[in-house]
Amino acid sequence: MSTYSRPVLLLLCGLLLLTLSIAVLNTLVPLWLAHEHLPTWQVGMVSSSYFTGNLVGTLVCGRLIKRFGFNRSYYLASLIFAVGCVGLGLTLGFWSWLGWRFVAGIGCAMIWVVVESALMCSGTSRNRGRLLAAYMMVYYVGTVLGQLMVSKLPTDLMSVLPWVTGMVLAAILPLLFARIVNNQSESHAPTQVWPMLKLRHARLGVNGCIISGIVLGSLYGLMPLWLNHQGYSDAGIGFWMAVMVSAGIVGQWPVGRLADRYGRLLVLRVQVFVVILGCLAMLSGTAMAPTLFILGAAGFTLYPVAMAWACERVEHHQLVAMNQALLLSYTIGSLLGPTFTSMLMQNFSDNLLFVMIACVSFIYLLMLLRKAGQHPTPVAHA
């Protein structure tokens, strides 16, 4: 059977529409709050509320998939996300948006778990890497297109919410014409999520997902605010966010091939080191375009490499549980990153955004260097 079967292609089409909506809201919500003159810590708390919803959605989605299957879980996740979008237009305030972003976060996490698990379970050890690469490419392309829409279209609240909500609902349509089937054997006992987090031989992958969550959560949630404080317009912020995410698209295939050829460990070490260099360049006032490109190319390719490291160390019937565990790890990082970084930015300086990212990356680099002599270099399954 072809790697990119009809159900897989339709699933990726739906993901593209959803990612467009997610990217637009992730950029504009901090800006809308900033325009209302909310303090930086409250903007960070709203971002953290979204990632808290991600945490809840990640935990509950496995049971929903088991009970209702991939298709119905996907429909439910999209509807929850749409409700979170509509709620933003009802009232504009810190507490109400805290709640609605929490609801949207639940829907988004459920979407990610459904899509990633469906691709994993639809594939085999021979084509799962290509499916994951296609997933990441679609996700980043949707993110870039969303940033470009921010830079080209009106960005006031009531102009954006109708078409964003419409795209979320339209994302349901492709899956009405395809059924995603779980190919894994039912003879195995159900695998729990928490034991996956404790696997010693997968610990570097789990830690990498946490660090990736901290890095990307801070960049997604607070980079628009940093740019706003530097005097950039909404259109300019959308453009620079698009530059950063575009670097992730450009770097996806080369990084994946290098990881296959030279091993995940070496590539992870180089990626984390480049993230640190990118942060130092931002602090030193180096030209924005190359610096953001370097930071995006390293930061946005960290998660799939760490995810691949961990998934190679479990059996086929454990993939859904491992995927939940890794997304849970990523979500924990995404929750912690904006929360602590926004407090530091509020009390000291906006530049602590890059100091924080560089510090946690350096800690992970030390883990990678310490573990180098204790683990064999992993190579992707042929």
Side-chain angles (χ1 to χ4, degrees), residues 215-226:
V215 171
L216 297 188
S218 299
L219 290 176
Y220 272 132
L222 297 173
M223 187 68 173
L225 190 63
W226 184 86

Side-chain angles (χ1 to χ4, degrees), residues 104-123:
I106 293 175
C108 290
M110 290 174 61
I111 290 166
W112 295 328
V113 172
V114 170
V115 174
E116 291 178 13
S117 300
L119 292 176
M120 291 281 189
C121 293
S122 298

Side-chain angles (χ1 to χ4, degrees), residues 12-321:
L12 293 177
C13 288
L15 175 68
L16 179 63
L17 294 175
L18 290 167
T19 306
L20 281 168
S21 304
I22 294 170
V24 169
L25 290 180
N26 282 350
T27 297
L28 289 181
V29 165
L31 297 181
W32 288 330
L33 293 173
H35 295 335
E36 293 297 318
H37 306 293
L38 268 69
T40 301
W41 73 267
Q42 289 189 351
V43 177
M45 287 299 294
V46 172
S47 297
S48 296
S49 175
Y50 170 79
F51 293 117
T52 305
N54 287 168
L55 184 66
V56 174
T58 302
L59 292 174
V60 304
C61 195
R63 294 181 181 178
L64 291 175
I65 292 174
K66 181 181 177 182
R67 182 170 181 178
F68 300 111
F70 288 121
N71 283 70
R72 290 182 180 179
S73 300
Y74 178 88
Y75 305 150
L76 177 61
S78 300
L79 290 175
I80 292 174
F81 182 34
V83 170
C85 295
V86 172
L88 295 179
L90 299 180
T91 54
L92 179 58
F94 171 66
W95 292 107
S96 62
W97 277 36
L98 204 68
W100 291 120
R101 289 301 282 166
F102 176 78
V103 172
I106 293 175
C108 290
M110 290 174 61
I111 290 166
W112 295 328
V113 172
V114 170
V115 174
E116 291 178 13
S117 300
L119 292 176
M120 291 281 189
C121 293
S122 298
T124 65
S125 60
R126 293 181 179 274
N127 62 16
R128 197 173 291 126
R130 283 172 285 171
L131 289 174
L132 182 60
Y135 163 75
M136 297 305 299
M137 291 292 288
V138 169
Y139 183 83
Y140 288 146
V141 167
T143 302
V144 170
L145 292 177
Q147 303 303 330
L148 292 177
M149 294 172 82
V150 170
S151 66
K152 300 297 182 182
L153 297 176
T155 57
D156 57 287
L157 178 65
M158 297 314 297
S159 296
V160 172
L161 286 185
W163 62 262
V164 165
T165 306
M167 274 202 298
V168 174
L169 296 176
I172 297 176
L173 297 178
L175 265 290
L176 295 176
F177 302 96
R179 180 173 178 78
I180 304 295
V181 180
N182 189 347
N183 291 330
Q184 73 180 34
S185 173
E186 298 296 338
S187 61
H188 297 281
T191 305
Q192 301 298 318
V193 174
W194 298 111
M196 296 292 101
L197 295 172
K198 300 177 183 179
L199 291 178
R200 187 176 183 84
H201 53 275
R203 189 169 296 170
L204 278 179
V206 174
N207 291 340
C209 289
I210 295 174
I211 299 301
S212 177
I214 294 174
V215 171
L216 297 188
S218 299
L219 290 176
Y220 272 132
L222 297 173
M223 187 68 173
L225 190 63
W226 184 86
L227 291 168
N228 178 260
H229 290 174
Q230 301 301 310
Y232 290 94
S233 64
D234 289 357
I237 292 170
F239 170 77
W240 288 118
M241 291 295 290
V243 169
M244 185 172 62
V245 181
S246 296
I249 297 177
V250 174
Q252 191 67 40
W253 285 111
V255 168
R257 291 191 175 188
L258 289 172
D260 288 342
R261 182 170 182 178
Y262 297 107
R264 312 289 182 200
L265 179 61
L266 176 60
V267 172
L268 281 171
R269 291 162 67 184
V270 173
Q271 284 177 286
V272 174
F273 183 69
V274 173
V275 168
I276 296 172
L277 291 181
C279 291
L280 294 177
M282 290 295 294
L283 291 172
S284 63
T286 309
M288 181 79 78
T291 302
L292 279 183
F293 191 88
I294 291 172
L295 189 59
F300 282 83
T301 55
L302 183 60
Y303 176 70
V305 178
M307 181 181 179
W309 172 291
C311 286
E312 287 171 358
R313 283 159 168 72
V314 297
E315 300 297 329
H316 188 279
H317 69 279
Q318 297 176 309
L319 284 174
V320 174

